[in-house]
PDB file of all heavy atoms in Angstrom:
ATOM      1  N   ASP A 131       0.824  -1.213  -0.001  1.00 96.00           N
ATOM      2  CA  ASP A 131      -0.006   0.005   0.014  1.00 96.00           C
ATOM      3  C   ASP A 131       0.867   1.255   0.013  1.00 96.00           C
ATOM      4  O   ASP A 131       1.945   1.293   0.607  1.00 96.00           O
ATOM      5  CB  ASP A 131      -0.905   0.026   1.245  1.00 96.00           C
ATOM      6  CG  ASP A 131      -2.045  -1.002   1.148  1.00 96.00           C
ATOM      7  OD1 ASP A 131      -2.242  -1.568   0.048  1.00 96.00           O
ATOM      8  OD2 ASP A 131      -2.683  -1.267   2.171  1.00 96.00           O
ATOM      9  N   THR A 132       0.387   2.274  -0.688  1.00 95.00           N
ATOM     10  CA  THR A 132       1.144   3.555  -0.772  1.00 95.00           C
ATOM     11  C   THR A 132       1.374   4.169   0.613  1.00 95.00           C
ATOM     12  O   THR A 132       2.422   4.735   0.891  1.00 95.00           O
ATOM     13  CB  THR A 132       0.431   4.521  -1.705  1.00 95.00           C
ATOM     14  OG1 THR A 132      -0.928   4.699  -1.250  1.00 95.00           O
ATOM     15  CG2 THR A 132       0.443   4.036  -3.128  1.00 95.00           C
ATOM     16  N   GLU A 133       0.377   4.043   1.499  1.00 95.00           N
ATOM     17  CA  GLU A 133       0.521   4.591   2.843  1.00 95.00           C
ATOM     18  C   GLU A 133       1.635   3.845   3.598  1.00 95.00           C
ATOM     19  O   GLU A 133       2.336   4.446   4.396  1.00 95.00           O
ATOM     20  CB  GLU A 133      -0.789   4.502   3.628  1.00 95.00           C
ATOM     21  CG  GLU A 133      -1.929   5.373   3.045  1.00 95.00           C
ATOM     22  CD  GLU A 133      -2.703   4.648   1.982  1.00 95.00           C
ATOM     23  OE1 GLU A 133      -2.277   3.524   1.579  1.00 95.00           O
ATOM     24  OE2 GLU A 133      -3.745   5.183   1.554  1.00 95.00           O
ATOM     25  N   ALA A 134       1.702   2.557   3.352  1.00 95.00           N
ATOM     26  CA  ALA A 134       2.764   1.770   3.994  1.00 95.00           C
ATOM     27  C   ALA A 134       4.145   2.151   3.494  1.00 95.00           C
ATOM     28  O   ALA A 134       5.111   2.247   4.265  1.00 95.00           O
ATOM     29  CB  ALA A 134       2.512   0.263   3.767  1.00 95.00           C
ATOM     30  N   GLN A 135       4.244   2.419   2.190  1.00 96.00           N
ATOM     31  CA  GLN A 135       5.515   2.879   1.636  1.00 96.00           C
ATOM     32  C   GLN A 135       5.947   4.191   2.277  1.00 96.00           C
ATOM     33  O   GLN A 135       7.094   4.350   2.638  1.00 96.00           O
ATOM     34  CB  GLN A 135       5.393   3.040   0.112  1.00 96.00           C
ATOM     35  CG  GLN A 135       5.148   1.733  -0.613  1.00 96.00           C
ATOM     36  CD  GLN A 135       5.074   1.932  -2.134  1.00 96.00           C
ATOM     37  OE1 GLN A 135       5.752   2.806  -2.687  1.00 96.00           O
ATOM     38  NE2 GLN A 135       4.224   1.159  -2.790  1.00 96.00           N
ATOM     39  N   GLN A 136       5.028   5.119   2.360  1.00 95.00           N
ATOM     40  CA  GLN A 136       5.350   6.417   2.915  1.00 95.00           C
ATOM     41  C   GLN A 136       5.724   6.300   4.410  1.00 95.00           C
ATOM     42  O   GLN A 136       6.634   6.984   4.884  1.00 95.00           O
ATOM     43  CB  GLN A 136       4.170   7.364   2.772  1.00 95.00           C
ATOM     44  CG  GLN A 136       4.485   8.814   3.198  1.00 95.00           C
ATOM     45  CD  GLN A 136       5.571   9.420   2.331  1.00 95.00           C
ATOM     46  OE1 GLN A 136       5.453   9.446   1.115  1.00 95.00           O
ATOM     47  NE2 GLN A 136       6.623   9.948   2.963  1.00 95.00           N
ATOM     48  N   ALA A 137       5.028   5.425   5.127  1.00 93.00           N
ATOM     49  CA  ALA A 137       5.376   5.253   6.553  1.00 93.00           C
ATOM     50  C   ALA A 137       6.777   4.706   6.722  1.00 93.00           C
ATOM     51  O   ALA A 137       7.515   5.123   7.645  1.00 93.00           O
ATOM     52  CB  ALA A 137       4.372   4.283   7.186  1.00 93.00           C
ATOM     53  N   LEU A 138       7.187   3.831   5.805  1.00 94.00           N
ATOM     54  CA  LEU A 138       8.567   3.292   5.885  1.00 94.00           C
ATOM     55  C   LEU A 138       9.569   4.389   5.587  1.00 94.00           C
ATOM     56  O   LEU A 138      10.604   4.473   6.256  1.00 94.00           O
ATOM     57  CB  LEU A 138       8.697   2.143   4.887  1.00 94.00           C
ATOM     58  CG  LEU A 138       9.893   1.213   5.060  1.00 94.00           C
ATOM     59  CD1 LEU A 138       9.910   0.594   6.458  1.00 94.00           C
ATOM     60  CD2 LEU A 138       9.843   0.119   3.999  1.00 94.00           C
ATOM     61  N   VAL A 139       9.294   5.244   4.635  1.00 94.00           N
ATOM     62  CA  VAL A 139      10.173   6.339   4.331  1.00 94.00           C
ATOM     63  C   VAL A 139      10.246   7.326   5.518  1.00 94.00           C
ATOM     64  O   VAL A 139      11.305   7.802   5.891  1.00 94.00           O
ATOM     65  CB  VAL A 139       9.720   7.082   3.051  1.00 94.00           C
ATOM     66  CG1 VAL A 139      10.490   8.388   2.862  1.00 94.00           C
ATOM     67  CG2 VAL A 139       9.913   6.184   1.847  1.00 94.00           C
ATOM     68  N   ASP A 140       9.067   7.654   6.094  1.00 92.00           N
ATOM     69  CA  ASP A 140       9.047   8.573   7.217  1.00 92.00           C
ATOM     70  C   ASP A 140       9.869   8.049   8.408  1.00 92.00           C
ATOM     71  O   ASP A 140      10.535   8.806   9.112  1.00 92.00           O
ATOM     72  CB  ASP A 140       7.602   8.804   7.677  1.00 92.00           C
ATOM     73  CG  ASP A 140       6.778   9.599   6.641  1.00 92.00           C
ATOM     74  OD1 ASP A 140       7.381  10.211   5.765  1.00 92.00           O
ATOM     75  OD2 ASP A 140       5.530   9.519   6.727  1.00 92.00           O
ATOM     76  N   ALA A 141       9.819   6.727   8.609  1.00 88.00           N
ATOM     77  CA  ALA A 141      10.501   6.144   9.760  1.00 88.00           C
ATOM     78  C   ALA A 141      11.993   5.964   9.549  1.00 88.00           C
ATOM     79  O   ALA A 141      12.780   6.206  10.458  1.00 88.00           O
ATOM     80  CB  ALA A 141       9.848   4.799  10.107  1.00 88.00           C
ATOM     81  N   LEU A 142      12.384   5.551   8.357  1.00 89.00           N
ATOM     82  CA  LEU A 142      13.791   5.135   8.147  1.00 89.00           C
ATOM     83  C   LEU A 142      14.439   5.797   6.948  1.00 89.00           C
ATOM     84  O   LEU A 142      15.561   5.393   6.542  1.00 89.00           O
ATOM     85  CB  LEU A 142      13.853   3.607   7.980  1.00 89.00           C
ATOM     86  CG  LEU A 142      13.404   2.782   9.187  1.00 89.00           C
ATOM     87  CD1 LEU A 142      13.300   1.303   8.836  1.00 89.00           C
ATOM     88  CD2 LEU A 142      14.385   2.967  10.342  1.00 89.00           C
ATOM     89  N   GLY A 143      13.803   6.754   6.334  1.00 90.00           N
ATOM     90  CA  GLY A 143      14.325   7.371   5.132  1.00 90.00           C
ATOM     91  C   GLY A 143      15.665   8.010   5.272  1.00 90.00           C
ATOM     92  O   GLY A 143      16.387   8.212   4.275  1.00 90.00           O
ATOM     93  N   ASN A 144      16.038   8.427   6.488  1.00 89.00           N
ATOM     94  CA  ASN A 144      17.338   9.026   6.691  1.00 89.00           C
ATOM     95  C   ASN A 144      18.495   8.026   6.555  1.00 89.00           C
ATOM     96  O   ASN A 144      19.658   8.435   6.489  1.00 89.00           O
ATOM     97  CB  ASN A 144      17.409   9.711   8.056  1.00 89.00           C
ATOM     98  CG  ASN A 144      16.538  10.952   8.104  1.00 89.00           C
ATOM     99  OD1 ASN A 144      16.275  11.590   7.095  1.00 89.00           O
ATOM    100  ND2 ASN A 144      16.101  11.287   9.316  1.00 89.00           N
ATOM    101  N   ASP A 145      18.176   6.743   6.570  1.00 88.00           N
ATOM    102  CA  ASP A 145      19.193   5.694   6.429  1.00 88.00           C
ATOM    103  C   ASP A 145      18.738   4.689   5.378  1.00 88.00           C
ATOM    104  O   ASP A 145      18.002   3.742   5.671  1.00 88.00           O
ATOM    105  CB  ASP A 145      19.358   4.991   7.794  1.00 88.00           C
ATOM    106  CG  ASP A 145      20.499   3.977   7.791  1.00 88.00           C
ATOM    107  OD1 ASP A 145      20.941   3.581   6.687  1.00 88.00           O
ATOM    108  OD2 ASP A 145      20.947   3.578   8.874  1.00 88.00           O
ATOM    109  N   PRO A 146      19.093   4.913   4.114  1.00 91.00           N
ATOM    110  CA  PRO A 146      18.613   4.048   3.029  1.00 91.00           C
ATOM    111  C   PRO A 146      18.892   2.568   3.239  1.00 91.00           C
ATOM    112  O   PRO A 146      18.039   1.713   2.897  1.00 91.00           O
ATOM    113  CB  PRO A 146      19.332   4.586   1.780  1.00 91.00           C
ATOM    114  CG  PRO A 146      19.601   6.028   2.086  1.00 91.00           C
ATOM    115  CD  PRO A 146      19.902   6.033   3.567  1.00 91.00           C
ATOM    116  N   ARG A 147      20.023   2.238   3.857  1.00 88.00           N
ATOM    117  CA  ARG A 147      20.337   0.814   4.097  1.00 88.00           C
ATOM    118  C   ARG A 147      19.339   0.219   5.088  1.00 88.00           C
ATOM    119  O   ARG A 147      18.834  -0.903   4.895  1.00 88.00           O
ATOM    120  CB  ARG A 147      21.745   0.636   4.609  1.00 88.00           C
ATOM    121  CG  ARG A 147      22.818   0.920   3.581  1.00 88.00           C
ATOM    122  CD  ARG A 147      24.179   0.593   4.172  1.00 88.00           C
ATOM    123  NE  ARG A 147      25.269   0.982   3.323  1.00 88.00           N
ATOM    124  CZ  ARG A 147      25.784   0.267   2.333  1.00 88.00           C
ATOM    125  NH1 ARG A 147      25.218  -0.900   2.054  1.00 88.00           N
ATOM    126  NH2 ARG A 147      26.783   0.711   1.586  1.00 88.00           N
ATOM    127  N   ALA A 148      19.053   0.959   6.159  1.00 87.00           N
ATOM    128  CA  ALA A 148      18.079   0.463   7.169  1.00 87.00           C
ATOM    129  C   ALA A 148      16.708   0.382   6.549  1.00 87.00           C
ATOM    130  O   ALA A 148      15.933  -0.565   6.822  1.00 87.00           O
ATOM    131  CB  ALA A 148      18.082   1.395   8.372  1.00 87.00           C
ATOM    132  N   MET A 149      16.343   1.354   5.724  1.00 92.00           N
ATOM    133  CA  MET A 149      15.030   1.318   5.058  1.00 92.00           C
ATOM    134  C   MET A 149      14.914   0.107   4.132  1.00 92.00           C
ATOM    135  O   MET A 149      13.881  -0.597   4.188  1.00 92.00           O
ATOM    136  CB  MET A 149      14.870   2.604   4.243  1.00 92.00           C
ATOM    137  CG  MET A 149      13.527   2.747   3.563  1.00 92.00           C
ATOM    138  SD  MET A 149      13.409   4.296   2.590  1.00 92.00           S
ATOM    139  CE  MET A 149      14.483   3.857   1.184  1.00 92.00           C
ATOM    140  N   ALA A 150      15.947  -0.161   3.357  1.00 92.00           N
ATOM    141  CA  ALA A 150      15.916  -1.312   2.458  1.00 92.00           C
ATOM    142  C   ALA A 150      15.898  -2.617   3.261  1.00 92.00           C
ATOM    143  O   ALA A 150      15.246  -3.584   2.877  1.00 92.00           O
ATOM    144  CB  ALA A 150      17.113  -1.278   1.498  1.00 92.00           C
ATOM    145  N   GLY A 151      16.647  -2.625   4.365  1.00 88.00           N
ATOM    146  CA  GLY A 151      16.657  -3.835   5.198  1.00 88.00           C
ATOM    147  C   GLY A 151      15.296  -4.087   5.821  1.00 88.00           C
ATOM    148  O   GLY A 151      14.848  -5.245   5.923  1.00 88.00           O
ATOM    149  N   ALA A 152      14.645  -3.016   6.266  1.00 90.00           N
ATOM    150  CA  ALA A 152      13.295  -3.179   6.843  1.00 90.00           C
ATOM    151  C   ALA A 152      12.314  -3.699   5.796  1.00 90.00           C
ATOM    152  O   ALA A 152      11.454  -4.551   6.086  1.00 90.00           O
ATOM    153  CB  ALA A 152      12.819  -1.834   7.420  1.00 90.00           C
ATOM    154  N   LEU A 153      12.402  -3.167   4.577  1.00 93.00           N
ATOM    155  CA  LEU A 153      11.518  -3.628   3.531  1.00 93.00           C
ATOM    156  C   LEU A 153      11.784  -5.112   3.207  1.00 93.00           C
ATOM    157  O   LEU A 153      10.811  -5.878   3.055  1.00 93.00           O
ATOM    158  CB  LEU A 153      11.724  -2.816   2.254  1.00 93.00           C
ATOM    159  CG  LEU A 153      10.905  -3.236   1.033  1.00 93.00           C
ATOM    160  CD1 LEU A 153       9.397  -3.216   1.347  1.00 93.00           C
ATOM    161  CD2 LEU A 153      11.228  -2.370  -0.160  1.00 93.00           C
ATOM    162  N   ALA A 154      13.047  -5.505   3.165  1.00 90.00           N
ATOM    163  CA  ALA A 154      13.351  -6.905   2.925  1.00 90.00           C
ATOM    164  C   ALA A 154      12.763  -7.798   4.029  1.00 90.00           C
ATOM    165  O   ALA A 154      12.245  -8.906   3.741  1.00 90.00           O
ATOM    166  CB  ALA A 154      14.855  -7.106   2.848  1.00 90.00           C
ATOM    167  N   GLN A 155      12.793  -7.324   5.263  1.00 87.00           N
ATOM    168  CA  GLN A 155      12.237  -8.101   6.356  1.00 87.00           C
ATOM    169  C   GLN A 155      10.728  -8.191   6.223  1.00 87.00           C
ATOM    170  O   GLN A 155      10.108  -9.256   6.470  1.00 87.00           O
ATOM    171  CB  GLN A 155      12.612  -7.430   7.700  1.00 87.00           C
ATOM    172  CG  GLN A 155      12.283  -8.289   8.907  1.00 87.00           C
ATOM    173  CD  GLN A 155      13.152  -9.562   8.966  1.00 87.00           C
ATOM    174  OE1 GLN A 155      14.339  -9.518   8.860  1.00 87.00           O
ATOM    175  NE2 GLN A 155      12.480 -10.710   9.105  1.00 87.00           N
ATOM    176  N   LEU A 156      10.092  -7.083   5.864  1.00 91.00           N
ATOM    177  CA  LEU A 156       8.645  -7.101   5.669  1.00 91.00           C
ATOM    178  C   LEU A 156       8.244  -8.057   4.533  1.00 91.00           C
ATOM    179  O   LEU A 156       7.295  -8.800   4.644  1.00 91.00           O
ATOM    180  CB  LEU A 156       8.155  -5.704   5.376  1.00 91.00           C
ATOM    181  CG  LEU A 156       8.057  -4.726   6.553  1.00 91.00           C
ATOM    182  CD1 LEU A 156       7.960  -3.293   6.074  1.00 91.00           C
ATOM    183  CD2 LEU A 156       6.869  -5.097   7.452  1.00 91.00           C
ATOM    184  N   LEU A 157       8.993  -8.022   3.441  1.00 91.00           N
ATOM    185  CA  LEU A 157       8.693  -8.923   2.329  1.00 91.00           C
ATOM    186  C   LEU A 157       8.846 -10.382   2.739  1.00 91.00           C
ATOM    187  O   LEU A 157       8.137 -11.251   2.247  1.00 91.00           O
ATOM    188  CB  LEU A 157       9.614  -8.604   1.152  1.00 91.00           C
ATOM    189  CG  LEU A 157       9.345  -7.282   0.428  1.00 91.00           C
ATOM    190  CD1 LEU A 157      10.493  -6.958  -0.517  1.00 91.00           C
ATOM    191  CD2 LEU A 157       8.021  -7.347  -0.345  1.00 91.00           C
ATOM    192  N   SER A 158       9.780 -10.621   3.652  1.00 84.00           N
ATOM    193  CA  SER A 158       9.973 -12.009   4.127  1.00 84.00           C
ATOM    194  C   SER A 158       8.910 -12.422   5.111  1.00 84.00           C
ATOM    195  O   SER A 158       8.427 -13.574   5.086  1.00 84.00           O
ATOM    196  CB  SER A 158      11.350 -12.110   4.779  1.00 84.00           C
ATOM    197  OG  SER A 158      11.531 -13.363   5.400  1.00 84.00           O
ATOM    198  N   ASP A 159       8.494 -11.495   6.022  1.00 82.00           N
ATOM    199  CA  ASP A 159       7.613 -11.855   7.117  1.00 82.00           C
ATOM    200  C   ASP A 159       6.123 -11.814   6.770  1.00 82.00           C
ATOM    201  O   ASP A 159       5.316 -12.520   7.363  1.00 82.00           O
ATOM    202  CB  ASP A 159       7.866 -10.923   8.305  1.00 82.00           C
ATOM    203  CG  ASP A 159       9.220 -11.142   8.942  1.00 82.00           C
ATOM    204  OD1 ASP A 159       9.881 -12.153   8.628  1.00 82.00           O
ATOM    205  OD2 ASP A 159       9.649 -10.285   9.740  1.00 82.00           O
ATOM    206  N   VAL A 160       5.740 -10.923   5.837  1.00 87.00           N
ATOM    207  CA  VAL A 160       4.337 -10.695   5.546  1.00 87.00           C
ATOM    208  C   VAL A 160       3.945 -11.446   4.289  1.00 87.00           C
ATOM    209  O   VAL A 160       4.601 -11.302   3.234  1.00 87.00           O
ATOM    210  CB  VAL A 160       4.046  -9.169   5.367  1.00 87.00           C
ATOM    211  CG1 VAL A 160       2.589  -8.950   5.009  1.00 87.00           C
ATOM    212  CG2 VAL A 160       4.427  -8.423   6.644  1.00 87.00           C
ATOM    213  N   SER A 161       2.877 -12.222   4.368  1.00 85.00           N
ATOM    214  CA  SER A 161       2.353 -12.875   3.177  1.00 85.00           C
ATOM    215  C   SER A 161       1.256 -11.998   2.587  1.00 85.00           C
ATOM    216  O   SER A 161       0.490 -11.357   3.312  1.00 85.00           O
ATOM    217  CB  SER A 161       1.777 -14.232   3.525  1.00 85.00           C
ATOM    218  OG  SER A 161       0.752 -14.117   4.479  1.00 85.00           O
ATOM    219  N   GLY A 162       1.242 -11.892   1.256  1.00 89.00           N
ATOM    220  CA  GLY A 162       0.262 -11.054   0.629  1.00 89.00           C
ATOM    221  C   GLY A 162       0.674  -9.580   0.595  1.00 89.00           C
ATOM    222  O   GLY A 162       1.846  -9.250   0.736  1.00 89.00           O
ATOM    223  N   ARG A 163      -0.303  -8.721   0.470  1.00 94.00           N
ATOM    224  CA  ARG A 163      -0.061  -7.278   0.335  1.00 94.00           C
ATOM    225  C   ARG A 163       0.422  -6.689   1.676  1.00 94.00           C
ATOM    226  O   ARG A 163      -0.112  -7.018   2.717  1.00 94.00           O
ATOM    227  CB  ARG A 163      -1.351  -6.590  -0.112  1.00 94.00           C
ATOM    228  CG  ARG A 163      -1.167  -5.148  -0.525  1.00 94.00           C
ATOM    229  CD  ARG A 163      -2.528  -4.552  -0.927  1.00 94.00           C
ATOM    230  NE  ARG A 163      -2.334  -3.240  -1.549  1.00 94.00           N
ATOM    231  CZ  ARG A 163      -2.212  -3.035  -2.843  1.00 94.00           C
ATOM    232  NH1 ARG A 163      -2.275  -4.070  -3.667  1.00 94.00           N
ATOM    233  NH2 ARG A 163      -2.046  -1.819  -3.334  1.00 94.00           N
TER     234      ARG A 163
END
């Protein structure tokens, strides 16, 4: 969801590596959208 993308940027956007790592973890942990 677009709101989820923005929330991730708001939380970790100052550290792109941490942001990408968090997204990778979400993709691994969450099934579906």
Side-chain angles (χ1 to χ4, degrees):
D131 288 348
T132 53
E133 295 88 352
Q135 295 181 34
Q136 187 63 54
L138 197 57
V139 170
D140 291 342
L142 297 171
N144 290 333
D145 186 343
R147 289 185 187 276
M149 183 181 73
L153 177 59
Q155 190 66 52
L156 284 164
L157 289 168
S158 173
D159 291 348
V160 178
S161 59
R163 190 181 190 93

